[in-house]
Amino acid sequence: MLLPPGPSNVSAPVSYAQSGSEGVQGIVRPRLRRARSREASVELLLVCSAGGHLLQLRLLEDVWRSRSRVWVTHRRDDALSLLAQEEVVYAYGPTTRSVVNLLRNLGLAWRLIGRLRPAVVLTTGAGIAVPFAWIGHVRGAKVVYIESLTRIAEPSLSCRFIRPVAARTYVQWPELAERIENARYLGSVLGGPV
């Protein structure tokens, strides 16, 4: 796996949204502070859309549980529940066909990644992941993309946008591994081969 070795200091549960200011349409806008060090302050930035993408990344808990981490997702009921004990930054949404929210998330990604200096951006997609993957790559983080379990024969649009900057791309179906150059198939998030 492309994660840095060594002990981790898992942060106490904090929601950046609690300390932020109210944004447009009730979206909580995080206040970010500049990093004081060039070293990574977190090992992992876990980025995913709410819903199935979030559930799939949660199912990979063995990968990220012992590492320092911050989550980026949409402020939805499932995210509030599944990430209640995690450090979370809520991104702007919806991301589908919204150039305005893409630009907002690019800015958020630039500020957040600059402050946190994650060693790895780990993502299951979808649209929310694209700006974080590219900004993470530009700012020196390794990007690891895990294609959705629902993609069997063709890569998703998110995969096509993120793969050029991904250090590793994992798929959950052997058929898809044959279609994506350098993709790795190790099984599914549900456990073992599908």
Side-chain angles (χ1 to χ4, degrees):
M1 182 127 240
L2 223 154
L3 302 179
S8 107
N9 300 318
V10 177
S11 303
V14 174
S15 172
Y16 283 102
Q18 293 172 352
S19 65
S21 59
E22 196 67 26
V24 177
Q25 299 176 347
I27 294 173
V28 179
R29 192 170 147 184
R31 291 184 186 158
L32 304 173
R33 295 185 185 153
R34 291 193 161 190
R36 294 181 184 173
S37 167
R38 300 294 294 175
E39 295 179 23
S41 58
V42 296
E43 293 173 88
L44 291 173
L45 186 63
L46 302 162
V47 182
C48 59
S49 297
H53 296 278
L54 172 59
L55 183 59
Q56 289 179 59
L57 200 46
R58 281 291 307 190
L59 289 171
L60 292 170
E61 186 172 354
D62 288 345
V63 171
W64 52 258
R65 175 183 34 222
S66 65
R67 301 183 183 280
S68 61
R69 62 197 176 269
V70 173
W71 290 79
V72 176
T73 190
H74 296 116
R75 187 179 186 88
R76 303 252 167 82
D77 288 343
D78 62 331
L80 293 171
S81 175
L82 289 169
L83 302 177
Q85 300 302 311
E86 296 287 337
E87 195 169 340
V88 178
V89 176
Y90 295 105
Y92 297 97
T95 53
T96 307
R97 297 180 186 94
S98 174
V99 174
V100 171
N101 285 335
L102 171 65
L103 295 174
R104 288 170 143 183
N105 285 328
L106 276 167
L108 178 61
W110 183 263
R111 292 186 310 273
L112 185 65
I113 291 169
R115 183 177 69 82
L116 296 177
R117 301 274 181 217
V120 176
V121 174
L122 177 62
T123 181
T124 52
I128 188 177
V130 175
F132 285 88
W134 277 86
I135 297 297
H137 175 73
V138 166
R139 297 199 87 158
K142 300 291 184 188
V143 177
V144 178
Y145 180 75
I146 302 163
E147 181 63 290
S148 173
L149 179 64
T150 63
R151 304 308 295 209
I152 300 169
E154 294 291 327
S156 65
L157 186 58
S158 299
C159 180
R160 287 180 267 165
F161 282 138
I162 294 172
R163 201 173 66 73
V165 296
R168 293 214 180 140
T169 302
Y170 293 96
V171 296
Q172 300 184 56
W173 292 91
E175 298 88 342
L176 189 54
E178 296 169 4
R179 302 203 51 140
I180 300 174
E181 186 178 342
N182 298 322
R184 298 174 186 209
Y185 168 71
L186 300 176
S188 83
V189 296
L190 300 176
V194 287

